[in-house]
Structures are given as C-alpha cells and as structure tokens.
Amino acid sequence: MRNFIIIERIRIGRVEDDFHSNAFKAALAEFISTLIFVFAGQGSTMAYNKLTSNAPTSPAGLIAVALAHAFGLFVGVAVSANISGGHVNPAVTFGAFIGGNISLLRGILYWIAQLLGSTVACLLLKYTTHHMTVSVFTLSPGVTVWNAFVFEIVMTFALVYTVYATAIDPKKGDVGVIAPLAIGFVLGANILAGGAFEGAALNPAVPFGPALVSWNWYHHWVYWAGPLIGGGLAGIVYELIFMSHGTHEPLPGGEF
C-alpha cells in the first residue's frame, strides 16, 4: 500500500496554480539564491586560479573551495527558504517532485530560474575578472565517467536526504531552524570527499553555467544524470520509509 503513496502524490500541476504572481516570486527567489551560490562557489575557484597562476588544486585550495560552496549554499538556502523552499538545485527540486512535494510545472519553473541564475553568475564573474576562464567541471586523471557517475549519485543522495530530513519532513521540529546550515555542511563535506576526483557538483545548475559560458560540454551529462538519480532516490527512500504521509505542512507558495 505504501508503495502507491508516492505515485498518488506525484502531480503535474495546473497552469492557474503554478503560474501566478507568487509562483514567479518563488522562481525569482530561486534565481537570486542560485546566483549568489554559484557566484561564491565558482568565484572561489577562479580566485584560487588567479592566486596560484592556474596551479593544480592543493589540499588547502580544496578546503577553501569547499568552504566557499558550503557558506554560499547556506546563505542561498536561508534567504529563499520562506519564499520558494530554498531548493537552489535542480536535483533537490527533482527529489521533491518525486516525493510528491512539488508539482512538475512548478519544478520546471524552478529549473529555469536555477539554470538562469547559474548562467548569469558565470557571466558576471567573467566580466568582473576581466575575462578570466570560467572553470568547467572535469574528471581527474584515472577517474572514469562511471566513477564520477556513482560519486554524483551517492553525494547528491546525501544532500537531498539532508534536505528532506531538515526542511521537508513535517516532523523536523527545531531541526528545521538549522536546515540551511546542515545543507551547506553536507555539500562542503562531499566536496572534500569528491572534489579531487570529479569536481563534486551535486547540482546540475553548478556545472551548467560554466559549461554554457565556456561552451564546453565534455562529460557534462554525468553532472545531470548522477545528481538527478541521487536526488530522486533520496526522495523515494525518505518518503517511503520515514515520512508521515498526510501530515505535510506547505511552505510559502504552496510547496512542500
């Protein structure tokens, strides 16, 4: 019986419900939050390249980049949580959709906003750094696409699972107060784990902006397929095993 609960909760949505002023305000919040996050994260990588004259990433550089992404995501989630739910990530939006916590139409609106936010952030970085190269995600020597694919699935599962546990679950209680911090921390921790191997995106919007601005799509599919599968699995696992169905508390905009 529980296996059919998620299927019943998944919804396409209706234009009149998902394309109105509040929905577009939520999308704008996602755009701004993603811009803030990608500008800080991608900017930290470009700053490291400038300071080291494009030297290979050192352990200290990896830590600095992980912290920048963790801080950036913490802020991005915190400033949009009360407006859009603070997704800042197409994989989070997809995980929420699979769990029946957002409609497909609203999810598409969020995706567009997130991808635009990443693209604008990279264009701004390219301009403000006097046309420095925007760093695209690449695989390290000895790492195959399938290694990276599994890395992205596992790491994004951890991220979206954390989102469910601290932000979506109506039983979260006081834990919800630290949700942005917990989400930022799990991202930073996973960048420390996977960054040296394949960049550790955990978010299709993060590599999308650099790939579009640099027009370099090599192995780009890995950074979509892995996070979406990981995020979807997290939504299914949390909804089926841990969620109290029928007690979801909607956030602003009618989502979650």
Side-chain angles (χ1 to χ4, degrees), residues 179-200:
L181 186 61
I183 295 166
F185 277 1
V186 74
L187 173 68
N190 278 294
I191 289 176
L192 290 175
F197 296 95
E198 45 83 44

Side-chain angles (χ1 to χ4, degrees), residues 27-28 30-32 34 108-118:
L28 179 59
E30 286 293 309
F31 167 82
I32 294 172
T34 308
I108 291 173
L109 192 62
Y110 278 22
W111 271 30
I112 293 171
Q114 292 155 356
L115 297 180
L116 283 175
S118 176

Side-chain angles (χ1 to χ4, degrees), residues 8-87:
E8 292 175 354
R9 286 176 50 78
I10 290 177
R11 61 193 192 280
I12 301 300
R14 298 185 303 172
V15 172
E16 55 269 31
D17 294 333
D18 293 298
F19 292 91
H20 52 73
S21 60
N22 286 338
F24 285 106
K25 286 179 182 178
L28 179 59
E30 286 293 309
F31 167 82
I32 294 172
S33 291
T34 308
L35 191 156
I36 291 170
F37 168 52
V38 174
F39 191 90
Q42 179 66 217
S44 69
T45 303
M46 295 171 71
Y48 176 84
N49 290 339
K50 181 175 178 60
L51 291 171
T52 63
S53 299
N54 293 311
T57 303
S58 66
L62 179 61
I63 292 171
V65 169
L67 287 174
H69 280 82
F71 292 159
L73 185 59
F74 164 62
V75 173
V77 172
V79 299
S80 59
N82 291 332
I83 305 169
S84 64
H87 292 197

Side-chain angles (χ1 to χ4, degrees), residues 1-255:
M1 179 64 179
R2 288 178 63 84
N3 293 335
F4 294 100
I5 294 176
I6 290 182
I7 296 175
E8 292 175 354
R9 286 176 50 78
I10 290 177
R11 61 193 192 280
I12 301 300
R14 298 185 303 172
V15 172
E16 55 269 31
D17 294 333
D18 293 298
F19 292 91
H20 52 73
S21 60
N22 286 338
F24 285 106
K25 286 179 182 178
L28 179 59
E30 286 293 309
F31 167 82
I32 294 172
S33 291
T34 308
L35 191 156
I36 291 170
F37 168 52
V38 174
F39 191 90
Q42 179 66 217
S44 69
T45 303
M46 295 171 71
Y48 176 84
N49 290 339
K50 181 175 178 60
L51 291 171
T52 63
S53 299
N54 293 311
T57 303
S58 66
L62 179 61
I63 292 171
V65 169
L67 287 174
H69 280 82
F71 292 159
L73 185 59
F74 164 62
V75 173
V77 172
V79 299
S80 59
N82 291 332
I83 305 169
S84 64
H87 292 197
V88 202
N89 184 339
V92 171
T93 302
F94 183 69
F97 164 70
I98 290 297
N101 295 289
I102 188 172
S103 70
L104 177 63
L105 291 180
R106 180 69 70 91
I108 291 173
L109 192 62
Y110 278 22
W111 271 30
I112 293 171
Q114 292 155 356
L115 297 180
L116 283 175
S118 176
T119 302
V120 172
C122 291
L123 289 172
L124 288 172
L125 282 167
K126 195 168 184 66
Y127 174 77
T128 54
T129 59
H130 197 60
H131 301 290
M132 277 185 64
T133 300
V134 180
S135 302
V136 296
F137 280 69
T138 57
L139 310 185
S140 297
V143 177
T144 70
V145 291
W146 300 111
N147 297 149
F149 179 61
V150 175
F151 247 122
E152 288 292 325
I153 290 174
V154 174
M155 293 186 296
T156 310
F157 178 93
L159 175 66
V160 178
Y161 186 90
T162 302
V163 171
Y164 260 88
T166 62
I168 299 179
D169 193 336
K171 306 187 302 296
K172 61 185 179 293
D174 294 338
V175 175
V177 177
I178 65 166
L181 186 61
I183 295 166
F185 277 1
V186 74
L187 173 68
N190 278 294
I191 289 176
L192 290 175
F197 296 95
E198 45 83 44
L202 291 78
N203 182 338
V206 171
F208 177 82
L212 182 62
V213 171
S214 301
W215 203 251
N216 183 343
W217 304 96
Y218 193 59
H219 291 149
H220 187 72
W221 69 269
V222 171
Y223 301 104
W224 275 89
L228 292 182
I229 291 173
L233 287 173
I236 292 171
V237 169
Y238 203 96
E239 279 284 340
L240 283 179
I241 300 174
F242 303 110
M243 191 72 82
S244 295
H245 296 282
T247 61
H248 288 70
E249 298 174 355
L251 290 181
E255 301 307 330

